[in-house]
Amino acid sequence: MESQMTLSSDVAQYHRRVLISAAVRAAYAHTRRYEEPAARREVARMTGVVMSVCGPGRGPDTPMTLIEALHQPLAHIAPELFADSGTGGLTVLDDGELTDDVYADGCEDIADLLSGGVDPARHWLPTWAWMHAEVVEQEAFRTINEGANEAEYTAHRYFVVKHPAGSERQLAELFGKAVGMRKTVRYLPIPADQVFRGKFWWPCPVCRWPMHVEGTEVRCRFPLHNAAYFVRADSGKGRPLLQPRDGSVPRQPAARPFLSEGPQRSVCVETAVWRHIVISGVSEIYLFERMESLKKRGVEVELYPGKDRYDLLIRVPATGWEMRIDVKDYGSAVSLADKLRRKPPAARTIVIPDYRGEAQRGELEELLPNLEVLRVSDVRDAVKKQLRKAARR
């Protein structure tokens, strides 16, 4: 059998995705082993998948050793496979529980392990554990696009990003005013681990999705939003108050009452939609709204033109300048580059959130030499430069 070192880059990338997918599924099943009768069987099945990727005599070979291995970075399981990828640093379990990195980075590389076959675990696994990003987007966008003209499509996507959670009746009323009475993406009851003592929930101040609650610790599952708080001991009998973990954390949001039933019940978009649509949508909408605020100074902007051929078209007619943008929020530059090679974007400028850093921008420039790669702040600076140029004319 070939060693991992001789695998082509495309094959190695696919094997990484398979291993990550199996690790995420096994880890989630492990956390459900007492509630779900099929969970232990799923861990055993995923052990077989990991063994097939690692090859004979390599990697964990029993469900128990797999679960132990998942408490360490995945590169420990298959060092050669992750030699050129930052995803090897992903750890999926910590003290028997899923890590936030699973939601932030693990979801990016989900592969369909049973393409064309029957997956016996899909009826109890969450969609983010088995459905890769492109399928999540297609499913959600099919609902958004159904019977919609371009303006309605844009309004619907904008709505989902701006309102990923709330009371069911209020969301329906807001949706009717903003978009119309067409069917919206699916909203589900807020999960128990995002509710404080069965009575309150808090939206992340960045993405507005309900934050994870663990005892008196409250945090957004997406670590780069840097939203981490503690419930104040002096909250008393009223709504509980949050205290930021430190001075770098965004201002704490107010608690929202949680209702489990009735027309005002508390709901949110499912995890897969949050991770693959809302997270990147935060940067898309931020740029759109910033450009909209510059309209009086001569900036024109379109959001999701042509029903999302790309994310943003920004123009400064006075100078003849324009930029077509696709916003991408990936933890792994290698995974993002692989996706863009498989499906080249219509826009020639890829924009990443500032929190991904200059290092990722530089890595993407090397991996994607035919595309321009900018951070969100770089786009703002480019537009301001064009406005200064226009003012001198």
Side-chain angles (χ1 to χ4, degrees):
M1 179 178 174
E2 278 189 317
S3 71
Q4 299 286 9
M5 293 295 290
T6 62
L7 292 175
S8 71
S9 60
D10 287 345
V11 173
Q13 172 69 6
Y14 175 71
H15 282 195
R16 278 196 295 270
R17 292 182 66 200
V18 170
L19 194 150
I20 290 170
S21 302
V24 168
R25 289 176 63 136
Y28 180 81
H30 178 69
T31 66
R32 294 287 309 280
R33 63 193 182 279
Y34 299 121
E35 299 87 5
E36 173 54 53
R40 296 179 192 274
R41 191 179 310 120
E42 177 69 8
V43 176
R45 291 174 61 243
M46 293 304 105
T47 301
V49 173
V50 171
M51 289 172 64
S52 71
V53 171
C54 293
R58 298 184 179 189
D61 57 1
T62 68
M64 183 179 295
T65 56
L66 175 60
I67 295 304
E68 290 175 356
L70 296 183
H71 284 77
Q72 302 179 61
L74 293 184
H76 287 238
I77 296 177
E80 301 93 342
L81 199 59
F82 290 96
D84 63 343
S85 171
T87 53
L90 174 65
T91 301
V92 297
L93 284 173
D94 181 20
D95 196 22
E97 298 296 328
L98 290 175
T99 66
D100 288 348
D101 288 342
V102 169
Y103 300 91
D105 299 325
C107 293
E108 293 175 357
D109 284 307
I110 297 300
D112 188 351
L113 301 183
L114 293 169
S115 180
V118 177
D119 187 343
R122 286 192 181 179
H123 72 280
W124 60 270
L125 283 174
T127 52
W128 57 262
W130 59 267
M131 187 183 288
H132 56 82
E134 291 91 340
V135 177
V136 173
E137 292 170 351
Q138 289 167 9
E139 291 287 332
F141 294 163
R142 186 179 298 116
T143 300
I144 292 173
N145 192 36
E146 187 178 352
N149 59 36
E150 187 170 341
E152 289 171 331
Y153 174 90
T154 298
H156 196 160
R157 269 195 75 179
Y158 183 89
F159 180 88
V160 171
V161 176
K162 296 289 280 189
H163 302 282
S167 82
E168 194 165 36
R169 173 176 286 176
Q170 183 183 38
L171 287 170
E173 292 173 352
L174 290 171
F175 182 78
K177 292 176 182 177
V179 184
M181 295 308 293
R182 296 183 307 103
K183 180 181 177 183
T184 185
V185 298
R186 185 168 57 168
Y187 285 79
L188 302 172
I190 295 177
D193 69 343
Q194 290 163 270
V195 179
F196 181 66
R197 295 177 179 172
K199 296 180 179 180
F200 299 97
W201 64 276
W202 288 274
C204 168
V206 180
C207 65
R208 301 181 179 87
W209 201 61
M211 291 193 284
H212 177 69
V213 178
E214 189 172 344
T216 58
E217 181 184 347
V218 180
R219 67 185 187 277
C220 179
R221 280 289 200 182
F222 194 73
L224 292 174
H225 287 169
N226 195 32
Y229 309 88
F230 298 101
V231 180
R232 284 172 47 174
D234 61 352
S235 292
K237 296 182 179 180
R239 291 194 184 188
L241 303 175
L242 295 182
Q243 177 179 327
R245 178 192 58 205
D246 55 50
S248 69
V249 173
R251 184 174 180 179
Q252 62 269 32
R256 309 285 179 86
F258 173 76
L259 296 175
S260 60
E261 54 188 25
Q264 297 286 0
R265 70 173 182 162
S266 306
V267 295
C268 62
V269 295
E270 58 186 313
T271 305
V273 172
W274 164 71
R275 178 59 189 89
H276 298 302
I277 296 177
V278 175
I279 293 293
S280 61
V282 168
S283 295
E284 296 160 3
I285 300 304
Y286 170 80
L287 269 177
F288 171 73
E289 292 178 345
R290 287 300 298 266
M291 297 304 104
E292 279 272 291
S293 71
L294 296 174
K295 268 191 170 183
K296 291 183 179 179
R297 297 179 59 186
V299 176
E300 296 179 355
V301 60
E302 293 180 43
L303 181 64
Y304 309 130
K307 290 190 176 181
D308 197 36
R309 289 190 63 244
Y310 44 89
D311 293 327
L312 288 160
L313 171 59
I314 306 173
R315 298 191 189 95
V316 181
T319 63
W321 178 89
E322 70 175 34
M323 181 181 285
R324 290 174 169 82
I325 289 171
D326 254 334
V327 177
K328 302 296 181 184
D329 195 348
Y330 270 62
S332 168
V334 172
S335 296
L336 174 55
D338 175 69
K339 176 182 177 180
L340 295 178
R341 291 193 196 100
R342 286 186 281 114
K343 186 179 180 182
R348 306 311 297 168
T349 300
I350 301 301
V351 175
I352 62 175
D354 282 28
Y355 52 68
R356 291 298 180 188
E358 181 63 25
Q360 188 185 81
R361 190 183 75 84
E363 187 177 2
L364 285 169
E365 284 183 327
E366 291 183 10
L367 293 168
L368 302 167
N370 296 324
L371 295 176
E372 180 181 35
V373 182
L374 301 175
R375 296 168 303 172
V376 168
S377 59
D378 297 327
V379 176
R380 291 201 320 263
D381 292 345
V383 172
K384 290 177 181 178
K385 181 179 179 180
Q386 291 300 317
L387 291 177
R388 290 194 297 270
K389 183 178 178 180
R392 291 194 296 267
R393 293 192 170 191

